[in-house]
Amino acid sequence: MYRRPTKSQSIADAVTTAIVNGELKAGERLQPVRQLAAQFETSPPVVQSALDILERNDLIIRKPRSGIVVKPCRHDGGVNNGKVLVCLPASCRIMQNMCRLLETKLRGKSGWSELELHRSIGKILPPIGQLYQDIFELVHERLNLNGLLPVLASHDLIMKPMPNPVLMERLDSVLGAGIQAAIVFGKDYIDNPFLQNFPSLRSIFLFELDYPEIPGNAVLLDFEQAFYMMTAHLAKLGRKRIMFSVSEPHRSPAQPGWNNQHHFLMIYGGYERALREYNLANYNVKFTGIYGSYITKKVLADIMSAPNPPDAIMCHMDFCALNFIKAAQELGIRVPEDLAITGFFNTAWSDYSPVKITTVGFDTEELVNAAVALARDLPAERRVIYLKPQLYIKDSCGASLELL
């Protein structure tokens, strides 16, 4: 979930802007840490954290006895030296703003229950929450701060098996006319691998990638570790029958040879690794469907009436966990006392839910900063970066951080 920039990130952004605008020249020395702390009205440790960010972004060098020096720009595709194609999904920001407005108004309106509030919000907020929009906006912001110009391409129109041929022809002409790099949403690329005709173009895939044999850089979510972490957490809480609710694997009619679904092997691998480690492998139950619309009162009733029903349901999206929680309330099943339910992505759904959802998330700023650095620096060798997950303990599994 997008968070306001920290003080250290704000300082790093300010210094980056000064470098991009030429206010700080290559080789120029920055002020000492204590002077920077006074300038930004903060503490030296916060400034040190900002300098760590700048160093990771390859903008400064810390030299013993010489202080902090602005790093020279690279001439083979560094700061302020190119255009970057951006092909990412972006849920409409107005949806999130409408949700906030609706929540504010309805909380002050007598007669509205919490459940009715969540149902109203559910009509306008997309299943993935505002996650894609946050990544989309951050990519644009960070590219500009690094002196790179984003060139937009419609993810929804391009990432499908039969895109408009005129659109693709024009996209090819753009890709062949001086684009430095392309930042692309990895998951849907399987339907239209439009970069394969441009092997020299530096591509950076984000989020997930089902086909590791495709050349290119990538900044990916460590799904294997994420679902291992959540399964292990539930096991530590004494849950013995952990069911995994996950979407059905995406099969591409355009590229049947790429349907190896590496992404799903990672997801299942983390779940099954934790089951083995906690001696729970005899209960390996996966429930598949599309997003959360398939989860109804009847569906959960059928699951819970089975001979050996789950005592925990781990979902691949917060939206699905929310629908399980609503179905449980309709059936009189207590969450988390009778049934633990967890989500994924730490979207707004995890907090809009009647029972706040324990979930796993990733640092979107880390994701975007890594992708922009790859687009800016154009490393000679292929790099694949996996982001580590973070567990967000809330109310739906019956544990607080103090109990861990």
Side-chain angles (χ1 to χ4, degrees):
M1 234 163 78
Y2 177 64
R3 301 183 298 274
R4 289 184 178 180
T6 61
K7 183 68 173 178
S8 57
Q9 182 65 61
S10 297
I11 295 171
D13 289 346
V15 175
T16 300
T17 302
I19 294 172
V20 169
N21 292 340
E23 299 167 19
L24 288 171
K25 308 293 184 183
E28 187 173 342
R29 201 175 295 170
L30 270 63
Q31 299 177 60
V33 170
R34 291 191 179 277
Q35 291 183 27
L36 287 171
Q39 177 186 336
F40 289 100
E41 299 180 346
T42 188
S43 64
V46 172
V47 172
Q48 292 286 5
S49 179
L51 295 175
D52 290 341
I53 295 171
L54 292 166
E55 193 170 36
R56 285 197 301 270
N57 289 342
D58 208 26
L59 293 174
I60 63 168
I61 304 173
R62 285 164 159 157
K63 293 185 174 182
R65 301 175 185 170
S66 298
I68 307 148
V69 178
V70 177
K71 191 170 183 179
C73 298
R74 293 181 51 165
H75 296 290
D76 59 344
V79 174
N80 206 16
N81 192 31
K83 299 177 181 179
V84 177
L85 182 78
V86 176
C87 189
L88 301 173
S91 57
C92 186
R93 171 62 71 180
I94 194 172
M95 290 184 178
Q96 185 181 0
N97 293 337
M98 286 173 65
C99 288
R100 290 171 177 164
L101 178 63
L102 181 66
E103 183 176 12
T104 301
K105 287 187 175 182
L106 296 188
R107 285 194 186 280
K109 188 172 182 180
S110 60
W112 280 80
S113 68
E114 195 77 8
L115 187 57
E116 288 171 321
L117 168 63
H118 296 308
R119 284 174 176 166
S120 299
I121 290 173
K123 293 177 181 178
I124 54 176
L125 186 66
I128 198 64
Q130 75 287 358
L131 180 65
Y132 291 163
Q133 179 69 26
D134 290 340
I135 293 173
F136 184 84
E137 291 182 355
L138 276 172
V139 165
H140 282 236
E141 174 189 297
R142 296 294 190 262
L143 285 173
N144 286 326
L145 284 172
N146 282 272
L148 296 170
L149 179 65
V151 178
L152 298 187
S154 172
H155 169 272
D156 293 338
L157 294 178
I158 291 171
M159 297 296 200
K160 56 185 182 180
M162 298 183 66
N164 184 312
V166 176
L167 172 63
M168 296 311 301
E169 182 180 346
R170 291 178 178 172
L171 179 61
D172 285 350
S173 66
V174 170
L175 289 171
I179 293 292
Q180 175 170 311
I183 297 178
V184 179
F185 186 61
K187 174 178 177 292
D188 298 324
Y189 185 73
I190 191 172
D191 286 326
N192 181 22
F194 64 94
L195 297 174
Q196 62 184 354
N197 295 327
F198 302 90
S200 62
L201 176 67
R202 184 53 53 112
S203 54
I204 301 111
F205 296 103
L206 296 189
F207 226 71
E208 58 192 70
L209 196 65
D210 281 336
Y211 19 82
E213 66 275 12
I214 298 249
N217 295 278
V219 185
L220 309 176
L221 309 187
D222 192 340
F223 286 98
E224 199 276 346
Q225 178 63 22
F227 285 105
Y228 167 83
M229 178 186 293
M230 183 62 81
T231 307
H233 174 64
L234 290 168
K236 290 175 184 177
L237 295 175
R239 306 291 173 166
K240 303 295 185 185
R241 301 180 304 280
I242 304 169
M243 188 183 82
F244 192 2
S245 172
V246 65
S247 65
E248 294 174 344
H250 172 55
R251 301 294 179 182
S252 172
Q255 305 292 336
W258 288 353
N259 284 332
N260 58 356
Q261 294 300 301
H262 174 72
H263 167 65
F264 280 89
L265 293 178
M266 289 183 66
I267 287 177
Y268 294 152
Y271 168 63
E272 293 170 352
R273 176 161 68 95
L275 291 182
R276 290 193 301 270
E277 286 190 14
Y278 289 88
N279 297 317
L280 301 175
N282 60 328
Y283 193 90
N284 185 339
V285 179
K286 302 180 184 75
F287 178 75
T288 59
I290 301 298
Y291 289 110
S293 57
Y294 60 90
I295 300 168
T296 62
K297 176 181 176 181
K298 181 181 183 306
V299 167
L300 183 58
D302 290 343
I303 291 172
M304 300 307 290
S305 62
N308 199 19
D311 57 13
I313 299 177
M314 179 176 65
C315 301
H316 73 295
M317 291 178 65
D318 295 332
F319 181 68
C320 298
L322 168 64
N323 280 275
F324 270 121
I325 288 173
K326 291 193 293 186
Q329 289 183 332
E330 293 178 20
L331 291 169
I333 297 172
R334 298 174 303 164
V335 177
E337 292 85 352
D338 302 327
L339 180 67
I341 298 174
T342 64
F344 193 79
F345 287 129
N346 193 32
T347 62
W349 291 118
S350 64
D351 291 320
Y352 284 141
S353 171
V355 179
K356 294 187 186 300
I357 300 168
T358 292
T359 184
V360 177
F362 296 83
D363 189 330
T364 53
E365 292 203 13
E366 183 183 359
L367 172 82
V368 171
N369 287 340
V372 170
L374 289 171
R376 181 195 67 216
D377 298 338
L378 302 179
E381 296 183 358
R382 180 180 186 238
R383 292 190 61 194
V384 177
I385 301 168
Y386 280 96
L387 300 184
K388 295 305 177 185
Q390 181 177 346
L391 198 60
Y392 294 86
I393 305 298
K394 299 179 185 178
D395 302 329
S396 66
C397 68
S400 64
L401 285 173
E402 289 75 17
L403 298 177
L404 298 181

